[in-house]
Amino acid sequence: MIELKAIEKRFGANVGLKDVSVAMARRSVTALVGPSGGGASTILSPVARLHDADAGEVRICGHDVRGYDPATLMDQLAIVFQNVQLFEGGIAENIRVARPEASDAELHAAAAAAGVVEIVERLGGWDAPVGEGGAALSGGERQRVSIARALLKDAPILLLDEATSGLDALNEAAVVTALSRFGQRTVLIVAHRLETIARADRILFVEAGRVVEAGSRDELIAAGGRFAAYWKHRQAARNWTFAQEHS
């Protein structure tokens, strides 16, 4: 379980998080949702100790993260950001760096779950170079390789910050389903797209640095609050986009 207790975080004069107290159940998928700049991504920072909170505490399995040896904490986490950096080399090499001792079968299973196999086929093999910084791949393809790397690491906690934003709807749905099933880990995902949000066990709606609503998608829609308005707006925007594309 991951617990945030009365977390406060400021960045100069700006409030990042204000009195955030939430718990994420073990082996669940929690979507952090809200307007840009509202604080959803900031919640991931104290969990991974990218930035320590100014007040309050984050506990993983009952222990304050500040009490962990940094290497021990990182062993518990796999992190995927929106902007992925790969190193020059092959696809398999970029994935295997997460756990060098992994078998080929384990690597291929992680790659398949993240939708990487079609990239391998396009480039002509597992050792085909991805180019400097992954230049031979699209942004969505780089994200999929990074997600495969995170899955192969097999850490109990997976943090994703807009990590599926470059995927089309079909691939996003497949990847999010894989995240919830592959290894049965605890997943925290910052998301704005409906395909990702819909597959979460629980949603935290974050606005102005606060968690203003929490619950399942159906519960929050039925409540008719901030998330329900957000969901309706995103659906309308998606339908408008589809209509434009087919006109």
Side-chain angles (χ1 to χ4, degrees), residues 22 24 54 58 71 99 102 128 185 198 200:
V22 293
M24 281 70 84
D54 297 322
V58 178
R99 188 156 56 94
R185 60 192 51 133

Side-chain angles (χ1 to χ4, degrees), residues 8-238:
E8 306 268 347
K9 182 62 186 177
R10 297 187 70 90
F11 298 97
N14 298 318
V15 175
L17 297 173
K18 180 68 174 177
D19 193 28
V20 173
S21 295
V22 293
M24 281 70 84
R26 185 169 175 259
R27 296 183 177 178
S28 66
V29 178
T30 300
L32 307 173
V33 180
S36 296
S41 293
T42 308
I43 287 178
L44 300 183
S45 292
V47 176
R49 295 203 68 192
L50 302 178
H51 299 99
D52 279 334
D54 297 322
E57 64 179 9
V58 178
R59 302 181 73 83
I60 294 178
C61 296
H63 302 287
D64 191 318
V65 294
R66 292 168 294 192
Y68 281 100
D69 175 82
T72 301
L73 178 62
M74 285 298 103
D75 285 343
Q76 306 304 305
L77 305 174
I79 307 172
V80 184
F81 295 109
Q82 180 177 3
N83 297 316
V84 175
Q85 289 297 319
L86 304 180
F87 58 82
E88 194 166 2
I91 293 177
E93 188 179 1
N94 268 279
I95 297 172
R96 193 182 291 279
V97 69
R99 188 156 56 94
E101 73 280 9
S103 68
D104 287 346
E106 290 172 320
L107 184 148
H108 293 164
V116 171
V117 175
E118 66 184 61
I119 305 172
V120 173
E121 293 172 348
R122 180 177 71 79
L123 293 181
W126 290 96
D127 297 324
V130 301
E132 184 176 356
L137 308 181
S138 69
E141 288 174 335
R142 288 194 294 273
Q143 285 183 330
R144 280 188 268 172
V145 172
S146 184
I147 290 168
R149 179 191 293 168
L151 293 175
L152 184 65
K153 185 178 179 181
D154 200 27
I157 297 170
L158 182 55
L159 308 178
L160 301 105
D161 189 359
E162 292 287 1
T164 61
S165 61
L167 307 184
D168 59 38
L170 184 62
N171 277 312
E172 181 178 30
V175 167
V176 173
T177 298
L179 293 177
S180 65
R181 295 177 180 173
F182 197 98
Q184 292 295 301
R185 60 192 51 133
T186 304
V187 180
L188 276 66
I189 181 167
V190 177
H192 292 290
R193 294 174 60 176
L194 301 185
E195 289 78 7
T196 302
I197 298 168
R199 286 166 173 77
D201 299 308
R202 190 162 180 254
I203 296 163
L204 306 180
F205 193 82
V206 187
E207 189 173 46
R210 296 177 179 270
V211 176
V212 296
E213 294 179 354
S216 70
R217 180 193 61 173
D218 291 344
E219 289 170 344
L220 294 183
I221 290 174
R226 291 291 298 117
F227 175 78
Y230 178 90
W231 180 265
K232 183 177 180 180
H233 173 75
R234 298 295 294 183
Q235 279 193 315
R238 183 175 68 172

